[in-house]
Amino acid sequence: MLGLKLPTDPRWVNIVEKNIEEILTDHAFCEQKATSTAISLIVSFPEYTELVQEMTALVKEEMSHFKMVHDKIIERGWTLGRDRKDEYVIQLLKFFPKGGSRTDQLVHRLLYAALIEARSCERFRLLSEELKDKELAEFYRRLMVSEANHYTMFLGYARKYGNREEVDKKWQDLLDYEAKIMKDLGTKETIHG
Ligand SMILES: [Fe+2]
Ligand SMILES: [Fe+2]
């Protein structure tokens, strides 16, 4: 599914279930970061008109997801906690060398975004299937549906703006690298933990 090379161990859901407040806070900040990434792509690559239009729409959508999660936190009588470090993303962003041409930089950022979307979507699917809390499972099912095309959108733009063959090779290499990172994860009550 989603091209990912290592599926998440479903036992990760058992860890999540013990601390729903924690996963919701972490998740809210994932939506905030998705919003920030879209804004940052607009700032860095303003001449890519189609991408700017798409990112403008995405900012709205991701921020509305943030609100959905924040509403859920309030509904359950909690308060949004502080943002946590995302070890997964920190590790992932080390893959491509810094520098290179402007196109390379754009392609690398789009591929990172595609992969983070794909993994998040996989985690949402797992939550939607395995959570005993049926109300929350349904919440994640609906979110998964609206997240599902973000990964293909980012990958599509990487292929459109970069050299197709090079991009496909980079994508496969990034997927291999991500699978290695994932081997040590699946142990925390965070979306990518
Ligand atoms: Fe989202
Ligand atoms: Fe997304």
Side-chain angles (χ1 to χ4, degrees):
M1 183 212 184
L2 303 159
L4 298 171
K5 304 221 168 169
L6 189 73
T8 296
D9 185 331
R11 282 175 296 181
W12 166 74
V13 180
N14 303 334
I15 298 165
V16 169
E17 264 172 337
K18 294 198 183 91
N19 199 347
I20 300 290
E21 187 175 0
E22 179 72 20
I23 187 97
L24 287 176
T25 282
D26 181 72
H27 178 182
F29 283 108
C30 287
E31 301 293 354
Q32 170 266 314
K33 283 169 202 143
T35 311
S36 300
T37 297
I39 294 173
S40 157
L41 281 166
I42 295 173
V43 175
S44 303
F45 301 97
E47 72 275 34
Y48 290 83
T49 304
E50 197 185 325
L51 182 71
V52 170
Q53 289 285 76
E54 192 82 51
M55 290 303 106
T56 307
L58 190 65
V59 167
K60 277 196 202 162
E61 191 188 348
E62 298 291 16
M63 208 56 211
S64 81
H65 293 165
F66 174 87
K67 180 168 165 47
M68 282 167 67
V69 182
H70 192 224
D71 286 347
K72 190 65 57 197
I73 290 171
I74 297 168
E75 220 177 273
R76 297 196 169 206
W78 298 319
T79 307
L80 179 65
R82 300 289 298 263
D83 186 18
R84 272 78 166 155
K85 258 209 247 159
D86 192 332
E87 260 324 307
Y88 166 79
V89 173
I90 293 170
Q91 288 304 316
L92 192 69
L93 299 191
K94 288 177 183 166
F95 184 69
F96 293 119
K98 300 262 175 294
S101 72
R102 196 167 157 69
T103 313
D104 281 345
Q105 289 172 37
L106 172 61
V107 163
H108 295 165
R109 283 173 66 179
L110 292 170
L111 290 180
Y112 283 143
L115 191 38
I116 295 167
E117 290 283 355
R119 181 58 74 182
S120 307
C121 196
E122 189 242 6
R123 290 281 173 103
F124 289 177
R125 183 185 53 86
L126 209 54
L127 292 172
S128 75
E129 288 172 358
E130 305 283 338
L131 276 175
K132 289 186 208 81
D133 180 333
K134 288 302 155 211
E135 196 257 344
L136 205 61
E138 174 57 19
F139 176 74
Y140 276 104
R141 195 196 57 79
R142 275 184 286 129
L143 262 178
M144 180 198 63
V145 171
S146 64
E147 296 284 355
N149 55 2
H150 292 169
Y151 126 80
T152 42
M153 180 267 293
F154 277 116
L155 186 57
Y157 279 115
R159 284 171 172 157
K160 180 183 167 102
Y161 296 135
N163 170 288
R164 174 68 196 247
E165 236 168 81
E166 273 174 34
V167 169
D168 284 347
K169 166 89 174 70
K170 283 178 177 180
W171 175 242
Q172 287 307 318
D173 292 348
L174 184 62
L175 283 168
D176 287 337
Y177 175 74
E178 199 253 5
K180 281 187 208 133
I181 298 175
M182 288 311 293
K183 271 198 191 123
D184 299 326
L185 297 175
T187 56
K188 276 201 200 132
E189 56 277 70
T190 57
I191 294 293
H192 303 124

